[in-house]
Amino acid sequence: MSARNSEVEPNGQDRKVSVIGTLLQIAVVTLAYWFAAQVSLRLALVHGQVTPIWPPTGIALVAILVFGRRVWPAVFLAALAVNLPIGPSPSGAAFIAAGNTLAPLTAAAFLKRAGFRIELDRLRDAAAIIVLGALVAMTISASVGTSVLVLSGTVPTDSFWSTWAVWWTGDAMGVLLVAPFLLSLLPNARSRAPTLRMAAELGGLLVGIGILTFVLFQNRLRLEYLVFPLIMLAAWRFRLRGAAPAALIASGVAIWAAVQGTGPFGTETLIQKMITLQVFNVCVALTSLVLAAVVEARERTEEMTRLYISANAASQTKSAFLNTAAHELRTPLTVLAGYLSLLSGGSVGSPPKAWETPLGILIAKTRELERIVDDLLTASRVEVIQPRIEREVLDLRKVVEGAVERVRPRADLLSAEVTVNLPRDPVPVEADPGKLGRVLDDLINNAMTYTIRPPQLRIGLSTRSRQAIVRVEDNGVGISEDERERVFDRLYRVSDSQVVVPGIGLGLYISRQLVESYGGSLLVESSTPGMGSVFALALPLVRITSATQLRQADAS
Ligand code: ADP
């Protein structure tokens, strides 16, 4: 086995540790499920039967979401252990346990598909757990369980739907109230650990919610919804960490009151109790979950805006610095270039023969430096001082022809084949001819630079649906799929050992900024590594409406 493989594949020791880990998880989930089931059975409205909330489903769903599908045996085993003593028969209990396992497994699969995040910090997460996790997926356990009870004769056939509804609401409540609570206990990278003061505030609030709900459910005035402002406050102040326990406490107290038959439950029939209780529970769960998610999302947006503003400010400062530095470098560079050309031209006496090569190199390198400083200046200007949009209506054919003329000497030197295809009619666009010319210079020069073969270029101009498109096609080294957008990033260069040429990766960045300032676009239209690339520059066509505009287009 190679060293690399040994990193990826767990060795015997690791595998043993992971098997032990899984067994431990299964044991913990089984115990938690079973224990929660025993407590809930004690809170049944009719002893041992009608449970308004079934927390084990919430536990099972969170276990599958956190540990993965592999913990399903824990859910099945615990559900079987719970149902064997109360179920119709061992095989019936096994079917019920299978339904109880399938429901959270399906809920987890639905949530995964919906892109659910266990931080529950977006409105869509809250909606997903309410609709998919609770309401939809729990129809499985209710349907399987009720069918078993009816088929075994434990429940008469005409009670199918009422039994189904009780089963379904109990399981859905387990998901709605218990799963968010458990998820709120998980360590969350984004939310900071609460300070002592905050923990005390939250503790006080939760105790307040418990006491108020208790008091409200002790009288018959039907004022139970007065606890909502406190639940909303918990969600507002502490998001899920406040909302989930607040909802669980309020619902827990309400269930306890229903079991005791106090307050509004004193005179109600079983079905009325169920409705009063479940409507209250659903409202509590919805309010707390949705509000927590909305507050979290709003805070995140504010945080992103703050980060964006500060990153923007930092980038502006950097660009301003670059601008100043490039500006300061320009003067000494011009002087240097001037004296070098004096020296090589012989104006201050002819240079010794041995100086020719070093002087040639110095001149070439100084030109390179001038180009870099120029690029830096342009790039920083594009960012700091939004380019003054000087535009005139011009004939794009002329700009292309100008660029091809300028590149001709270099093309001859490299024995490059340059084919140009221009339409017969003028192509009017609005731009600065100098800047647009520079963009084309860059594209054509790149096409001749990034190649290992004698360059073959095809430059075409066409119009399509109110756009003029210049395509520069080459037979160069090409650009891989994942770098096609990145080459337009500031200071980005592809590292390719085949073509090592000087440059700082600003040309395409500047070109795109300029083209976009004229309402156009610049992109790599297609590219095949080793075969070549096609760069496409698109600009909006100008509609010629007056004689002046036409003249301008013709004159440029
Ligand atoms: P620079 O030429 O200074 O590196 P550019 O912004 O013009 O900066 O180009 C960025 C990178 O994009 C280049 O380093 C090169 O790797 C790649 N690139 C640009 N044009 C082509 C092309 N026609 N064919 C292949 N790669 C290209």
Side-chain angles (χ1 to χ4, degrees):
M1 189 193 287
S2 71
R4 202 160 172 242
N5 275 344
S6 71
E7 269 171 35
V8 180
E9 285 175 19
N11 57 28
Q13 184 71 22
D14 287 349
R15 213 172 288 139
K16 215 160 109 193
V17 170
S18 91
V19 169
I20 294 175
T22 307
L23 286 177
L24 260 175
Q25 286 168 356
I26 289 180
V28 169
V29 175
T30 312
L31 275 178
Y33 190 108
W34 184 84
F35 183 74
Q38 298 310 314
V39 174
S40 336
L41 285 175
R42 274 172 224 291
L43 285 177
L45 290 183
V46 174
H47 187 66
Q49 276 182 21
V50 185
T51 50
I53 177 172
W54 190 241
T57 47
I59 294 174
L61 176 60
V62 172
I64 294 167
L65 286 175
V66 176
F67 299 134
R69 276 200 303 256
R70 63 173 184 270
V71 294
W72 73 264
V75 180
F76 181 77
L77 277 179
L80 190 63
V82 171
N83 281 289
L84 270 179
I86 56 171
S89 63
S91 59
F95 274 113
I96 293 175
N100 288 359
T101 313
L102 208 59
L105 274 174
T106 311
F110 282 167
L111 290 178
K112 202 168 167 206
R113 272 205 92 125
F116 176 76
R117 274 208 314 235
I118 57 172
E119 289 86 2
L120 248 173
D121 54 1
R122 299 168 305 174
L123 196 53
R124 56 183 284 202
D125 300 322
I129 200 164
I130 292 168
V131 179
L132 299 176
L135 304 184
V136 176
M138 293 309 134
T139 55
I140 298 176
S141 45
S143 304
V144 174
T146 313
S147 302
V148 170
L149 292 187
V150 170
L151 289 175
S152 64
T154 316
V155 164
T157 314
D158 55 3
S159 303
F160 182 92
W161 285 113
S162 55
T163 313
W164 186 94
V166 171
W167 200 305
W168 178 63
T169 40
D171 280 4
M173 281 302 133
V175 171
L176 276 186
L177 291 164
V178 178
F181 173 69
L182 294 177
L183 291 175
S184 78
L185 299 180
L186 293 176
N188 179 346
R190 229 171 302 162
S191 60
R192 281 163 271 130
T195 59
L196 207 62
R197 214 182 121 234
M198 283 174 80
E201 192 185 331
L202 176 59
L205 201 52
L206 294 180
V207 171
I209 288 170
I211 294 174
L212 184 61
T213 318
F214 176 79
V215 172
L216 294 173
F217 276 103
Q218 289 309 305
N219 61 69
R220 303 214 170 136
L221 292 175
R222 311 293 323 230
L223 297 175
E224 57 270 21
Y225 289 86
L226 278 184
V227 74
F228 273 64
L230 282 189
I231 296 176
M232 287 160 85
L233 184 64
W236 185 267
R237 291 276 297 126
F238 303 96
R239 271 104 60 209
L240 192 63
R241 289 222 167 123
L248 194 63
I249 289 173
S251 293
V253 173
I255 291 168
W256 183 81
V259 173
Q260 301 298 317
T262 63
F265 300 114
T267 50
E268 289 184 341
T269 61
L270 178 62
I271 190 78
Q272 283 171 335
K273 270 187 197 171
M274 276 301 277
I275 292 172
T276 306
L277 185 62
Q278 298 303 40
V279 170
F280 176 79
N281 284 347
V282 167
C283 290
V284 163
L286 285 186
T287 313
S288 57
L289 267 185
V290 169
L291 189 61
V294 168
V295 174
E296 183 79 51
R298 201 205 54 188
E299 281 195 359
R300 214 177 28 250
T301 313
E302 281 172 6
E303 179 70 20
M304 299 277 278
T305 314
R306 261 199 306 277
L307 282 177
Y308 175 77
I309 291 172
S310 67
N312 220 14
S315 162
Q316 293 264 333
T317 315
K318 204 168 68 189
S319 301
F321 166 76
L322 271 184
N323 193 356
T324 317
H327 225 271
E328 293 303 312
L329 278 173
R330 210 184 201 176
T331 322
L333 259 181
T334 316
V335 176
L336 196 67
Y339 274 109
L340 279 174
S341 77
L342 278 182
L343 271 178
S344 69
S347 315
V348 285
S350 40
K353 192 105 187 96
W355 285 26
E356 258 173 33
T357 316
L359 266 180
I361 294 173
L362 272 177
I363 289 172
K365 288 292 160 194
T366 312
R367 273 203 205 112
E368 211 175 280
L369 261 178
E370 279 181 322
R371 254 200 319 275
I372 292 175
V373 167
D374 237 36
D375 272 356
L376 284 175
L377 264 178
T378 318
S380 56
R381 275 199 203 122
V382 166
E383 287 161 14
V384 182
I385 323 151
Q386 285 302 310
R388 247 189 322 140
I389 309 202
E390 286 164 9
R391 313 161 162 214
E392 50 186 285
V393 179
L394 43 94
D395 184 355
L396 190 51
R397 293 176 313 162
K398 303 271 162 61
V399 187
V400 176
E401 277 168 357
V404 173
E405 272 321 301
R406 283 191 293 279
V407 88
R408 194 65 73 190
R410 186 172 175 220
D412 291 344
L413 209 67
L414 297 171
S415 315
E417 219 177 86
V418 183
T419 324
V420 186
N421 200 346
L422 299 176
R424 260 194 273 148
D425 294 326
V427 181
V429 294
E430 212 179 350
D432 175 325
K435 290 190 175 129
L436 202 53
R438 186 213 142 113
V439 172
L440 283 165
D441 288 350
D442 268 359
L443 292 180
I444 299 174
N445 274 308
N446 277 351
M448 290 204 289
T449 304
Y450 296 103
T451 179
I452 46 169
R453 295 180 277 184
Q456 282 179 354
L457 270 68
R458 275 216 300 243
I459 302 167
L461 172 57
S462 58
T463 56
R464 205 188 57 199
S465 53
R466 306 228 187 112
Q467 277 203 323
I469 304 168
V470 182
R471 287 195 174 78
V472 179
E473 191 176 340
D474 63 48
N475 64 337
V477 289
I479 304 169
S480 66
E481 178 104 45
D482 52 327
E483 294 196 283
R484 268 173 223 170
E485 260 309 295
R486 301 195 67 192
V487 291
F488 295 97
D489 285 354
R490 191 164 49 161
L491 301 171
Y492 187 80
R493 306 198 74 211
V494 179
S495 70
D496 185 341
S497 55
Q498 296 182 85
V499 198
V500 184
V501 286
I504 52 170
L506 275 176
L508 289 177
Y509 169 73
I510 295 171
S511 297
R512 181 176 262 188
Q513 304 285 323
L514 288 174
V515 172
E516 284 179 354
S517 73
Y518 300 127
S521 63
L522 176 63
L523 46 88
V524 179
E525 192 175 61
S526 63
S527 186
T528 315
M531 301 296 285
S533 317
V534 183
F535 280 77
L537 182 166
L539 285 171
L541 274 174
V542 176
R543 210 187 285 262
I544 303 288
T545 50
S546 69
T548 346
Q549 279 183 324
L550 247 181
R551 233 187 350 264
Q552 274 181 342
D554 286 338
S556 59

